[in-house]
Amino acid sequence: MPNQKQDGQLSGQPERELPLGVKLLLTLEGHEGLVYSVAFDSVGRILASASGDQTLKLWDVASGELLRTLEGHNDHVMSVALDPLGQTLASGSVDHTVRLWDVATGKLLHILERSKGFVKSVAFDPAGRILASGGGDRMVKLWDVSSGELLRTLEGHKRYVSGIAFDSVGRILASASGDQTLKLWDVSSGELLRTLEGHNDHVMSVAFDPAGRILASGSDDQTVKLWDVATGKLLRTLEGHTRRVNAVTFSMDGQLLASESSDGTLRLWSCETWETVAIIPEPPESNLWRLGLAFHPTSPLLVTSGSKPDAPEGERYRLIHFWELDLNVLLGKEPDVRPAMKAVHHTTAKIVLVGDHSVGKSALGWHLAYGEFKEQAATHGQQFWVLPQLGKLREDGTECEAILWDLAGQPDYRLIHTLFLDDVDLALILFDASDISDPLHGVEFWLEQLKAGRLAPRSEANQGHSACLKILVGARSDRGAPALTVEELEAFCRQRGISGYLGTSAKAGWGLAELIRRMKELIVWEDKPATVTTVTFKRIKDYVLKLKENLQDQRMVASLPELREPLERTDATWEFTDEEIMTAVGHLENYGYVKRLRTSKGEERILLAPEILNNLASSFVLEARHNPKGLGSLEEKRLLAGEYQFHEGEYQFRELKKLSKEERDVLLDSA
């Protein structure tokens, strides 16, 4: 008989500090290995659990009594599901099999066809007639529950399938994968409806809200994302976890979303505000891959795999915890109860300045950002400015911030910088209006690159992303009238899907107010997905971005202690962890603001000027072109040893001279 403990911890174990509105009601102990997965039947009478001890267990929810142990798998059992009637149990295992069991007797009904890889996830459709499975063979398989026959195989993922879920009516199936995507499938036809892209690492889990309108996904990129099922549009990104998000699930009333992470926390999010309303602590366990998370179908209970508070690593997550939730307290409906933890809602628009070199991009960007003209040297790297005049506060409280990126246009650098044109909201395509011989030189090239950057990663099934908006900008209009008439330029814009033409002069200030007005018109802030982040994450991000504004006066490569010390000086009462710093830096890296590097000793570094890597890569291209044998290649050993001498006048050479040998070695290796 398993150990049970009502209203608290197992006997003799220390108490853990729990948030208001959360109570540990019951703990079940019986598995000898990690509890990977838990699942209720549709009425919440029976709980099933799957474990690394190669068994499944069935529990009576009311009493916590162990009803039955099912044995037969010969490796870790990764996932478990109960059909809506509570009559059939499905399990998926590392032993490459999916098995169906009779709940009443524990009898094995079917061993479904062996897959070519582990089975990570199983799920019944709402009618209980179809079972879906997914795992290491990169496929989703649909099975007839009564006969055990394979109905259909859904192919398209490029890596393992880590999570699957049916919508509330069984019409759509969602699958999550290590290829960083989610896919939506039509169950009856097997047609791929849509591919959802936006995560920056493996997608670990997926769940529909009870209405089937919102899809939640948890990822190795430490975020939870919310998607509109009908359009595929990304609605929100939820930040707060500092490690992989293993599992996500909605409460049956649609009021809460739960997420479980390898950082040792369970987070509860309000589905009204999408802010964190409670954090339940669990001892962290490295590199675990689990889905041990389920809401009771009728009661305010959350069941999770868990640990004794003092359990050593390697012996954690062998328990099953029942958490009783007070929704009035958690959702702020109880008077005289502290409000939910503070969160910051924000969104960013990415605007790029592109065009051939020496057309005045940097001078225009500087004037837009600072309201004055300043002579600018040719830009070989990337630089960016915040444009506060384009920002706003949305009615839903989301802070909107516009970032203007200036990308170098020299032919030798375009190869690298065109890689950074994905997810652009607005492009300002500059040309030299005073060029008589070929005024639109380079415009067609950047139009093609913007199109490729927006569409190349998207599949034909993904309809959730619109094309990048563009303005054709004639620069340096103070030098003389453009070689083409305004009518000819407007016709050019109409033919190529450009919003329109505008002549400007950064030096004289001509056209800049009108340019700002047009940019405001084209950025539809209400359509931008919001990120809900912690105050700590936001403060760290803002601080790091401030550091980037004056890189000439400081080191461009910072260690974790070098970031922590000045952050602590900003507020003596502010408490934050190293993991929170690196997670916030990681989110900035996803936007291209910084780059995380690692030394040969495994130590982390933060590169505040990631464009240096791009510049070095461009220099590698230049040096390869000068290969004396005409091979177009470099010798890796010579490169890492610093034997290639870039030209003294090159921007990246000048920047490298400022760095220590260790920093140069890290940069060369990373590039």
Side-chain angles (χ1 to χ4, degrees), residues 616 620 639-640 642 646 656 663-671:
L616 285 173
F620 295 172
L639 181 67
L640 296 179
F646 303 126
L656 280 176
E663 291 171 333
R664 288 198 298 270
D665 290 345
V666 172
L667 283 172
L668 287 170
D669 189 39
S670 299

Side-chain angles (χ1 to χ4, degrees), residues 13-206:
Q13 296 301 319
E15 294 292 327
R16 72 180 79 200
E17 185 176 350
L18 296 177
L20 290 180
V22 177
K23 177 183 179 182
L24 182 55
L25 184 66
L26 177 68
T27 296
L28 305 179
E29 184 178 19
H31 280 296
E32 296 179 359
L34 173 72
V35 178
Y36 283 104
S37 178
V38 291
F40 285 103
D41 66 0
S42 61
V43 295
R45 183 177 62 86
I46 296 174
L47 178 77
S49 57
S51 171
D53 63 14
Q54 305 181 18
T55 71
L56 300 119
K57 292 184 183 293
L58 296 174
W59 311 83
D60 181 272
V61 172
S63 66
E65 178 186 357
L66 176 62
L67 300 175
R68 187 168 284 105
T69 297
L70 309 181
E71 299 178 339
H73 284 292
N74 54 36
D75 211 326
H76 295 224
V77 189
M78 301 290 289
S79 56
V80 64
L82 283 162
D83 80 330
L85 298 178
Q87 298 175 348
T88 305
L89 180 145
S91 58
S93 170
V94 177
D95 67 11
H96 297 195
T97 67
V98 177
R99 297 176 185 237
L100 297 179
W101 313 77
D102 182 88
V103 172
T105 65
K107 179 183 177 182
L108 178 63
L109 301 174
H110 296 287
I111 298 179
L112 303 184
E113 180 184 17
R114 288 181 176 272
S115 71
K116 295 180 181 179
F118 61 85
V119 181
K120 177 64 173 64
S121 184
V122 292
F124 285 98
D125 78 330
R129 293 191 292 265
I130 297 175
L131 178 76
S133 65
D137 61 4
R138 308 179 184 181
M139 295 181 282
V140 177
K141 294 183 178 180
L142 302 181
W143 309 87
D144 181 272
V145 174
S146 61
S147 67
E149 293 182 2
L150 180 64
L151 299 174
R152 185 172 288 110
T153 298
L154 310 179
E155 300 184 53
H157 283 298
K158 297 178 181 178
R159 296 198 67 184
Y160 59 85
V161 176
S162 49
I164 50 178
F166 286 94
D167 71 353
S168 57
V169 296
R171 186 180 67 85
I172 298 175
L173 177 75
S175 58
S177 172
D179 63 12
Q180 305 184 17
T181 72
L182 300 109
K183 292 184 183 293
L184 299 180
W185 311 85
D186 182 278
V187 175
S188 61
S189 67
E191 177 189 0
L192 176 61
L193 301 174
R194 187 167 285 111
T195 297
L196 309 181
E197 297 180 336
H199 280 294
N200 297 300
D201 212 325
H202 304 197
V203 188
M204 307 306 298
S205 57
V206 62

Side-chain angles (χ1 to χ4, degrees), residues 495-544:
Q495 292 169 1
R496 288 157 178 80
I498 303 174
S499 299
Y501 162 74
L502 180 64
T504 65
S505 168
K507 187 173 184 178
W510 298 346
L512 301 192
E514 175 62 15
L515 180 58
I516 288 292
R517 187 191 68 79
R518 291 196 190 183
M519 293 164 71
K520 283 184 176 179
E521 283 184 352
L522 292 176
I523 300 175
V524 185
W525 287 114
E526 283 66 28
D527 290 343
K528 294 285 296 175
T531 294
V532 183
T533 193
T534 67
V535 173
T536 289
F537 280 0
K538 188 65 166 63
R539 288 178 69 177
I540 294 171
K541 291 178 184 178
D542 289 345
Y543 175 78
V544 173

Side-chain angles (χ1 to χ4, degrees), residues 17-21 277-279 328-341:
E17 185 176 350
L18 296 177
L20 290 180
V277 295
I279 300 175
N328 287 333
V329 171
L330 292 173
L331 299 177
K333 299 176 182 178
E334 191 78 22
D336 302 323
V337 174
R338 66 182 182 186
M341 283 161 279

